[in-house]
Amino acid sequence: MTGMRTLTILGATGSIGQSTLDVVTRHPQRFRVAALTAHAQVGPMLSACRLVRPRYAVMVTESAAAELRQRLRDGGLDTEVLSGETALSQVASLPEVDTVMAAIVGAAGLRPTLSAAAAGKRVLLANKESLVMAGHLFLRAVREGGGMIVPIDSEHNAILQCLPGRFNGDWSVGGVRRILLTASGGPFRCRPLSELAGVTPEQACAHPNWVMGRKISVDSATMMNKGLEVIEAHYLFNAPAEAIEVVVHPQSVIHSMVEYVDGSVIAQLGNPDMRTPIAHALAFPERIESGVQPLNFFDLAGLHFEKPDLARFPCLRLAYEVLRVGGNMPAVLNAANEVAVGRFLEGRLRFDRIATVIDAVLSRVAHETPQSLEDVLEADRRAREMALQTVTHA
Ligand code: NDP
Ligand code: MG
């Protein structure tokens, strides 16, 4: 059995962060938590600190940090509270930490996740946006740091489980032909197209199979989530765009599949509960209990598959396009999407305009090849500005 692993959980108060705490606390002999981070939610952070008693807790906002410090002191806990964005990178690269759960949502996760990679940590990657924005830099940081990425996204975790054991990205050696990335199709798969203009944030966040944070829930409803995952799969598995096929599978029981040159297709199945990929990544290459109910085949009404409808889900088409073009374009797509989704969640942009805004921003930006993190952040900043202007006129 592997020795004790010491973790930092970035985004501890979120959906993935909470599921991670659930799995970790089932195995106190295997995992200890050195640091937890959140943006501003003090209540859930306080509960998490009580549960795992970390050495550090980071709140990005200073006022939340001050409140947490006081409440921890009142409760007699000696966790040290840090604040500000740089503290995120600091706790992601602590010498005593070997494993970092990267579960901040959106571009805000890029710097700390990259710091973890550069410091040679085992990065459990939920924050797909950071890989989409800066895939090449990210892979270089992992190589140079000497650590590894283990995907948390259920599809990519499934693909890792279906690939040959010693797969190193060389498709000709492994006999791998295609990756079949499954997608639920979200809450609007069957909704008449004419109704999409009027759907509300609550309807968009009511995912049929998964309970998730609000941003990824909207991404699932537009299928931008699947688009980001196609780009994520490209970087994680060295897969060309043509070798990644999206298969709509509304039951979310098959989490993805790998097709081999001999005609074999290997699938990973399970109940839709993120604790399975989290437990797999935490213990990799071993297996541990996750608390997830076993899959009961006799309860399944059937497994269905269909092609994605790109007229209904233009975001998926846009993601394939930016993957083919490369350079700064995936970062621009991600930034424009974050702005548009944020506005939709505030009730200030129609659902069907999310794709229109992203498309408009992409068509205004010139292709460049970012050389550094600063280049990526600059592309992100400019794309956000353009998206904000476009939203105002949408
Ligand atoms: P949530 O919205 O539930 O949680 C987000 C976490 O990030 C919270 O801890 C939040 O803190 C923190 N956070 C938000 N903004 C910032 C910021 N600016 N700086 C620092 N921290 C911040 O998201 P999810 O858990 O759903 O998703 C997290 C990531 O995992 C996303 O990238 C998502 O795509 C990915 N993922 C999620 C899945 C899921 O099932 N939920 C499945 C697959 C991937 P606070 O609570 O204080 O706001
Ligand atoms: Mg996923």
Side-chain angles (χ1 to χ4, degrees):
M1 191 180 107
T2 330
M4 184 71 125
R5 285 191 174 152
T6 306
L7 273 88
T8 286
I9 304 178
L10 302 170
T13 51
S15 162
I16 294 288
Q18 296 287 301
S19 294
T20 305
L21 286 166
D22 182 282
V23 177
V24 162
T25 50
R26 287 168 194 271
H27 303 279
Q29 311 79 357
R30 276 186 177 255
F31 306 110
R32 93 164 66 86
V33 178
L36 298 172
T37 84
H39 183 246
Q41 285 205 80
V42 176
M45 181 56 119
L46 184 63
S47 312
C49 288
R50 286 201 187 107
L51 190 66
V52 295
R53 300 184 167 255
R55 182 157 166 220
Y56 300 102
V58 178
M59 301 302 301
V60 174
T61 67
E62 181 49 52
S63 56
E67 185 186 339
L68 180 68
R69 211 170 277 128
Q70 184 60 47
R71 291 175 70 180
L72 284 169
R73 206 174 301 139
D74 294 346
L77 265 76
D78 59 2
T79 296
E80 186 178 335
V81 181
L82 310 173
S83 70
E85 280 173 24
T86 49
L88 297 173
S89 297
Q90 195 183 325
V91 298
S93 52
L94 289 171
E96 68 260 41
V97 163
D98 47 69
T99 305
V100 174
M101 167 57 78
I104 291 175
V105 61
L110 177 58
R111 270 186 196 276
T113 309
L114 258 184
S115 301
K121 309 302 185 198
R122 168 188 288 240
V123 179
L124 313 187
L125 186 74
N127 178 222
K128 63 192 91 183
E129 295 92 341
S130 57
L131 199 59
V132 168
M133 291 173 74
H136 293 293
L137 298 178
F138 212 91
L139 296 183
R140 197 202 301 158
V142 173
R143 242 187 348 264
E144 291 176 0
M148 67 188 294
I149 303 181
V150 189
I152 292 294
D153 222 336
S154 57
E155 295 76 3
H156 305 74
N157 185 271
I159 293 162
L160 176 67
Q161 296 191 45
C162 297
L163 280 169
R166 292 177 310 283
F167 185 72
N168 65 355
D170 186 343
W171 284 51
S172 60
V173 175
V176 176
R177 184 153 62 197
R178 279 192 312 161
I179 283 173
L180 302 167
L181 200 62
T182 54
S184 69
F188 305 139
R189 186 176 59 91
C190 301
R191 184 73 66 123
L193 278 179
S194 58
E195 289 179 18
L196 288 185
V199 298
T200 64
E202 276 53 50
Q203 290 167 329
C205 289
H207 196 278
N209 308 331
W210 299 94
V211 181
M212 310 182 283
R214 283 166 75 77
K215 190 261 177 182
I216 185 178
S217 296
V218 178
D219 284 349
S220 299
T222 60
M223 280 192 82
M224 179 57 93
N225 182 49
K226 210 50 53 183
L228 298 176
E229 289 183 359
V230 168
I231 302 173
E232 184 184 8
H234 161 75
Y235 286 118
L236 287 175
F237 307 116
N238 191 30
E242 317 68 78
I244 308 169
E245 174 146 35
V246 173
V247 178
V248 176
H249 162 49
Q251 292 78 20
S252 300
V253 167
I254 297 179
H255 299 308
S256 276
M257 301 175 264
V258 172
E259 183 186 288
Y260 287 84
V261 290
D262 61 4
S264 300
V265 177
I266 300 191
Q268 188 262 358
L269 286 73
N271 279 317
D273 186 322
M274 288 306 293
R275 291 177 299 175
T276 294
I278 289 169
H280 174 264
L282 277 168
F284 184 79
E286 297 178 14
R287 297 272 181 176
I288 55 172
E289 289 271 353
S290 65
V292 175
Q293 286 300 310
L295 185 62
N296 184 340
F297 280 86
F298 308 111
D299 280 352
L300 297 177
L303 300 180
H304 298 97
F305 306 95
E306 55 193 58
K307 260 189 179 306
D309 174 353
L310 295 184
R312 176 180 290 273
F313 298 114
C315 286
L316 182 57
R317 177 178 51 77
L318 292 173
Y320 266 105
E321 281 171 19
V322 305
L323 173 55
R324 292 203 166 90
V325 180
N328 53 339
M329 289 303 177
V332 171
L333 169 103
N334 179 67
N337 180 55
E338 283 190 26
V339 169
V341 170
R343 288 296 158 121
F344 167 69
L345 284 170
E346 291 164 6
R348 294 161 68 186
L349 183 73
R350 264 171 42 187
F351 180 79
D352 60 330
R353 293 279 162 83
I354 295 174
T356 321
V357 168
I358 301 166
D359 202 357
V361 172
L362 286 170
S363 62
R364 283 175 60 196
V365 174
H367 179 270
E368 285 165 15
T369 306
Q371 304 293 340
S372 64
L373 176 59
E374 280 59 44
D375 290 351
V376 172
L377 294 173
E378 178 58 15
D380 173 82
R381 194 190 58 72
R382 275 186 290 161
R384 277 169 201 271
E385 247 171 48
M386 278 186 212
L388 281 172
Q389 290 163 5
T390 315
V391 165
T392 325
H393 300 112

PDB file of all heavy atoms in Angstrom, residues 89-112:
ATOM      1  N   SER A  89      -1.396  30.073  -5.046  1.00  0.00           N
ATOM      2  CA  SER A  89      -0.224  29.418  -5.641  1.00  0.00           C
ATOM      3  C   SER A  89       0.725  28.929  -4.560  1.00  0.00           C
ATOM      4  O   SER A  89       1.349  27.869  -4.702  1.00  0.00           O
ATOM      5  CB  SER A  89       0.512  30.386  -6.571  1.00  0.00           C
ATOM      6  OG  SER A  89      -0.341  30.735  -7.636  1.00  0.00           O
ATOM      7  N   GLN A  90       0.809  29.708  -3.488  1.00  0.00           N
ATOM      8  CA  GLN A  90       1.696  29.324  -2.386  1.00  0.00           C
ATOM      9  C   GLN A  90       1.285  27.967  -1.799  1.00  0.00           C
ATOM     10  O   GLN A  90       2.121  27.083  -1.647  1.00  0.00           O
ATOM     11  CB  GLN A  90       1.577  30.410  -1.325  1.00  0.00           C
ATOM     12  CG  GLN A  90       2.635  30.425  -0.262  1.00  0.00           C
ATOM     13  CD  GLN A  90       2.304  31.532   0.758  1.00  0.00           C
ATOM     14  OE1 GLN A  90       1.780  32.605   0.421  1.00  0.00           O
ATOM     15  NE2 GLN A  90       2.583  31.255   2.020  1.00  0.00           N
ATOM     16  N   VAL A  91      -0.016  27.786  -1.513  1.00  0.00           N
ATOM     17  CA  VAL A  91      -0.416  26.512  -0.896  1.00  0.00           C
ATOM     18  C   VAL A  91      -0.491  25.373  -1.921  1.00  0.00           C
ATOM     19  O   VAL A  91      -0.515  24.206  -1.543  1.00  0.00           O
ATOM     20  CB  VAL A  91      -1.741  26.605  -0.100  1.00  0.00           C
ATOM     21  CG1 VAL A  91      -1.601  27.579   1.062  1.00  0.00           C
ATOM     22  CG2 VAL A  91      -2.922  26.956  -0.984  1.00  0.00           C
ATOM     23  N   ALA A  92      -0.522  25.741  -3.229  1.00  0.00           N
ATOM     24  CA  ALA A  92      -0.512  24.693  -4.265  1.00  0.00           C
ATOM     25  C   ALA A  92       0.883  24.124  -4.456  1.00  0.00           C
ATOM     26  O   ALA A  92       1.045  23.105  -5.124  1.00  0.00           O
ATOM     27  CB  ALA A  92      -1.016  25.266  -5.591  1.00  0.00           C
ATOM     28  N   SER A  93       1.902  24.785  -3.897  1.00  0.00           N
ATOM     29  CA  SER A  93       3.273  24.303  -4.116  1.00  0.00           C
ATOM     30  C   SER A  93       4.026  24.102  -2.790  1.00  0.00           C
ATOM     31  O   SER A  93       5.244  24.117  -2.781  1.00  0.00           O
ATOM     32  CB  SER A  93       4.013  25.290  -5.027  1.00  0.00           C
ATOM     33  OG  SER A  93       3.899  26.605  -4.513  1.00  0.00           O
ATOM     34  N   LEU A  94       3.310  23.903  -1.710  1.00  0.00           N
ATOM     35  CA  LEU A  94       3.954  23.660  -0.405  1.00  0.00           C
ATOM     36  C   LEU A  94       4.843  22.419  -0.477  1.00  0.00           C
ATOM     37  O   LEU A  94       4.430  21.399  -1.034  1.00  0.00           O
ATOM     38  CB  LEU A  94       2.890  23.392   0.676  1.00  0.00           C
ATOM     39  CG  LEU A  94       2.017  24.555   1.140  1.00  0.00           C
ATOM     40  CD1 LEU A  94       0.891  24.025   2.027  1.00  0.00           C
ATOM     41  CD2 LEU A  94       2.858  25.585   1.887  1.00  0.00           C
ATOM     42  N   PRO A  95       6.038  22.484   0.125  1.00  0.00           N
ATOM     43  CA  PRO A  95       6.938  21.317   0.069  1.00  0.00           C
ATOM     44  C   PRO A  95       6.323  20.058   0.670  1.00  0.00           C
ATOM     45  O   PRO A  95       6.567  18.959   0.179  1.00  0.00           O
ATOM     46  CB  PRO A  95       8.150  21.758   0.894  1.00  0.00           C
ATOM     47  CG  PRO A  95       8.023  23.232   1.089  1.00  0.00           C
ATOM     48  CD  PRO A  95       6.613  23.635   0.823  1.00  0.00           C
ATOM     49  N   GLU A  96       5.511  20.198   1.719  1.00  0.00           N
ATOM     50  CA  GLU A  96       4.977  18.982   2.364  1.00  0.00           C
ATOM     51  C   GLU A  96       3.810  18.360   1.593  1.00  0.00           C
ATOM     52  O   GLU A  96       3.344  17.281   1.939  1.00  0.00           O
ATOM     53  CB  GLU A  96       4.542  19.280   3.811  1.00  0.00           C
ATOM     54  CG  GLU A  96       3.334  20.203   3.947  1.00  0.00           C
ATOM     55  CD  GLU A  96       3.723  21.643   4.284  1.00  0.00           C
ATOM     56  OE1 GLU A  96       4.714  22.133   3.698  1.00  0.00           O
ATOM     57  OE2 GLU A  96       3.039  22.255   5.125  1.00  0.00           O
ATOM     58  N   VAL A  97       3.340  19.048   0.540  1.00  0.00           N
ATOM     59  CA  VAL A  97       2.185  18.558  -0.226  1.00  0.00           C
ATOM     60  C   VAL A  97       2.664  17.762  -1.443  1.00  0.00           C
ATOM     61  O   VAL A  97       3.558  18.198  -2.166  1.00  0.00           O
ATOM     62  CB  VAL A  97       1.311  19.755  -0.671  1.00  0.00           C
ATOM     63  CG1 VAL A  97       0.354  19.372  -1.786  1.00  0.00           C
ATOM     64  CG2 VAL A  97       0.546  20.308   0.532  1.00  0.00           C
ATOM     65  N   ASP A  98       2.092  16.569  -1.669  1.00  0.00           N
ATOM     66  CA  ASP A  98       2.437  15.814  -2.877  1.00  0.00           C
ATOM     67  C   ASP A  98       1.309  15.809  -3.888  1.00  0.00           C
ATOM     68  O   ASP A  98       1.514  15.531  -5.062  1.00  0.00           O
ATOM     69  CB  ASP A  98       2.856  14.378  -2.534  1.00  0.00           C
ATOM     70  CG  ASP A  98       1.895  13.714  -1.570  1.00  0.00           C
ATOM     71  OD1 ASP A  98       0.755  13.432  -1.986  1.00  0.00           O
ATOM     72  OD2 ASP A  98       2.266  13.508  -0.395  1.00  0.00           O
ATOM     73  N   THR A  99       0.074  16.102  -3.463  1.00  0.00           N
ATOM     74  CA  THR A  99      -1.100  15.966  -4.342  1.00  0.00           C
ATOM     75  C   THR A  99      -1.965  17.217  -4.242  1.00  0.00           C
ATOM     76  O   THR A  99      -2.281  17.657  -3.129  1.00  0.00           O
ATOM     77  CB  THR A  99      -1.928  14.739  -3.898  1.00  0.00           C
ATOM     78  OG1 THR A  99      -1.070  13.593  -3.893  1.00  0.00           O
ATOM     79  CG2 THR A  99      -3.096  14.486  -4.829  1.00  0.00           C
ATOM     80  N   VAL A 100      -2.353  17.769  -5.401  1.00  0.00           N
ATOM     81  CA  VAL A 100      -3.182  18.972  -5.390  1.00  0.00           C
ATOM     82  C   VAL A 100      -4.464  18.721  -6.166  1.00  0.00           C
ATOM     83  O   VAL A 100      -4.416  18.359  -7.348  1.00  0.00           O
ATOM     84  CB  VAL A 100      -2.432  20.178  -5.999  1.00  0.00           C
ATOM     85  CG1 VAL A 100      -3.350  21.393  -6.120  1.00  0.00           C
ATOM     86  CG2 VAL A 100      -1.204  20.523  -5.160  1.00  0.00           C
ATOM     87  N   MET A 101      -5.599  18.858  -5.491  1.00  0.00           N
ATOM     88  CA  MET A 101      -6.887  18.798  -6.185  1.00  0.00           C
ATOM     89  C   MET A 101      -7.149  20.190  -6.750  1.00  0.00           C
ATOM     90  O   MET A 101      -7.293  21.156  -6.002  1.00  0.00           O
ATOM     91  CB  MET A 101      -7.979  18.392  -5.199  1.00  0.00           C
ATOM     92  CG  MET A 101      -9.401  18.580  -5.702  1.00  0.00           C
ATOM     93  SD  MET A 101      -9.778  17.722  -7.242  1.00  0.00           S
ATOM     94  CE  MET A 101      -9.994  16.049  -6.655  1.00  0.00           C
ATOM     95  N   ALA A 102      -7.194  20.291  -8.088  1.00  0.00           N
ATOM     96  CA  ALA A 102      -7.388  21.589  -8.745  1.00  0.00           C
ATOM     97  C   ALA A 102      -8.861  21.735  -9.083  1.00  0.00           C
ATOM     98  O   ALA A 102      -9.311  21.312 -10.148  1.00  0.00           O
ATOM     99  CB  ALA A 102      -6.522  21.681  -9.996  1.00  0.00           C
ATOM    100  N   ALA A 103      -9.641  22.325  -8.169  1.00  0.00           N
ATOM    101  CA  ALA A 103     -11.100  22.384  -8.357  1.00  0.00           C
ATOM    102  C   ALA A 103     -11.653  23.795  -8.190  1.00  0.00           C
ATOM    103  O   ALA A 103     -12.787  23.976  -7.755  1.00  0.00           O
ATOM    104  CB  ALA A 103     -11.793  21.408  -7.408  1.00  0.00           C
ATOM    105  N   ILE A 104     -10.821  24.787  -8.562  1.00  0.00           N
ATOM    106  CA  ILE A 104     -11.350  26.156  -8.673  1.00  0.00           C
ATOM    107  C   ILE A 104     -12.085  26.202 -10.012  1.00  0.00           C
ATOM    108  O   ILE A 104     -11.690  25.544 -10.968  1.00  0.00           O
ATOM    109  CB  ILE A 104     -10.193  27.175  -8.630  1.00  0.00           C
ATOM    110  CG1 ILE A 104      -9.578  27.196  -7.226  1.00  0.00           C
ATOM    111  CG2 ILE A 104     -10.651  28.584  -9.045  1.00  0.00           C
ATOM    112  CD1 ILE A 104      -8.351  28.065  -7.083  1.00  0.00           C
ATOM    113  N   VAL A 105     -13.154  26.999 -10.094  1.00  0.00           N
ATOM    114  CA  VAL A 105     -13.874  27.076 -11.364  1.00  0.00           C
ATOM    115  C   VAL A 105     -13.290  28.206 -12.225  1.00  0.00           C
ATOM    116  O   VAL A 105     -12.964  29.280 -11.717  1.00  0.00           O
ATOM    117  CB  VAL A 105     -15.395  27.255 -11.134  1.00  0.00           C
ATOM    118  CG1 VAL A 105     -15.735  28.528 -10.388  1.00  0.00           C
ATOM    119  CG2 VAL A 105     -16.159  27.203 -12.460  1.00  0.00           C
ATOM    120  N   GLY A 106     -13.117  27.910 -13.519  1.00  0.00           N
ATOM    121  CA  GLY A 106     -12.764  28.945 -14.487  1.00  0.00           C
ATOM    122  C   GLY A 106     -11.303  29.344 -14.509  1.00  0.00           C
ATOM    123  O   GLY A 106     -10.437  28.706 -13.904  1.00  0.00           O
ATOM    124  N   ALA A 107     -11.041  30.456 -15.235  1.00  0.00           N
ATOM    125  CA  ALA A 107      -9.670  30.926 -15.455  1.00  0.00           C
ATOM    126  C   ALA A 107      -8.965  31.270 -14.155  1.00  0.00           C
ATOM    127  O   ALA A 107      -7.728  31.276 -14.110  1.00  0.00           O
ATOM    128  CB  ALA A 107      -9.703  32.152 -16.369  1.00  0.00           C
ATOM    129  N   ALA A 108      -9.706  31.544 -13.089  1.00  0.00           N
ATOM    130  CA  ALA A 108      -9.089  31.867 -11.796  1.00  0.00           C
ATOM    131  C   ALA A 108      -8.216  30.712 -11.304  1.00  0.00           C
ATOM    132  O   ALA A 108      -7.331  30.906 -10.474  1.00  0.00           O
ATOM    133  CB  ALA A 108     -10.173  32.179 -10.761  1.00  0.00           C
ATOM    134  N   GLY A 109      -8.448  29.514 -11.832  1.00  0.00           N
ATOM    135  CA  GLY A 109      -7.671  28.350 -11.389  1.00  0.00           C
ATOM    136  C   GLY A 109      -6.346  28.209 -12.104  1.00  0.00           C
ATOM    137  O   GLY A 109      -5.521  27.373 -11.714  1.00  0.00           O
ATOM    138  N   LEU A 110      -6.116  29.008 -13.147  1.00  0.00           N
ATOM    139  CA  LEU A 110      -4.936  28.769 -13.979  1.00  0.00           C
ATOM    140  C   LEU A 110      -3.619  28.890 -13.212  1.00  0.00           C
ATOM    141  O   LEU A 110      -2.808  27.970 -13.207  1.00  0.00           O
ATOM    142  CB  LEU A 110      -4.949  29.720 -15.190  1.00  0.00           C
ATOM    143  CG  LEU A 110      -3.731  29.622 -16.107  1.00  0.00           C
ATOM    144  CD1 LEU A 110      -3.546  28.227 -16.652  1.00  0.00           C
ATOM    145  CD2 LEU A 110      -3.838  30.617 -17.265  1.00  0.00           C
ATOM    146  N   ARG A 111      -3.391  30.038 -12.561  1.00  0.00           N
ATOM    147  CA  ARG A 111      -2.090  30.242 -11.895  1.00  0.00           C
ATOM    148  C   ARG A 111      -1.803  29.194 -10.823  1.00  0.00           C
ATOM    149  O   ARG A 111      -0.732  28.576 -10.841  1.00  0.00           O
ATOM    150  CB  ARG A 111      -2.039  31.634 -11.277  1.00  0.00           C
ATOM    151  CG  ARG A 111      -1.497  32.688 -12.216  1.00  0.00           C
ATOM    152  CD  ARG A 111      -1.359  33.998 -11.435  1.00  0.00           C
ATOM    153  NE  ARG A 111      -1.216  35.131 -12.310  1.00  0.00           N
ATOM    154  CZ  ARG A 111      -0.076  35.532 -12.835  1.00  0.00           C
ATOM    155  NH1 ARG A 111       1.032  34.851 -12.595  1.00  0.00           N
ATOM    156  NH2 ARG A 111      -0.030  36.583 -13.627  1.00  0.00           N
ATOM    157  N   PRO A 112      -2.730  28.986  -9.875  1.00  0.00           N
ATOM    158  CA  PRO A 112      -2.410  27.996  -8.834  1.00  0.00           C
ATOM    159  C   PRO A 112      -2.236  26.583  -9.384  1.00  0.00           C
ATOM    160  O   PRO A 112      -1.379  25.826  -8.906  1.00  0.00           O
ATOM    161  CB  PRO A 112      -3.604  28.068  -7.877  1.00  0.00           C
ATOM    162  CG  PRO A 112      -4.636  28.909  -8.524  1.00  0.00           C
ATOM    163  CD  PRO A 112      -3.969  29.725  -9.568  1.00  0.00           C
TER     164      PRO A 112
END
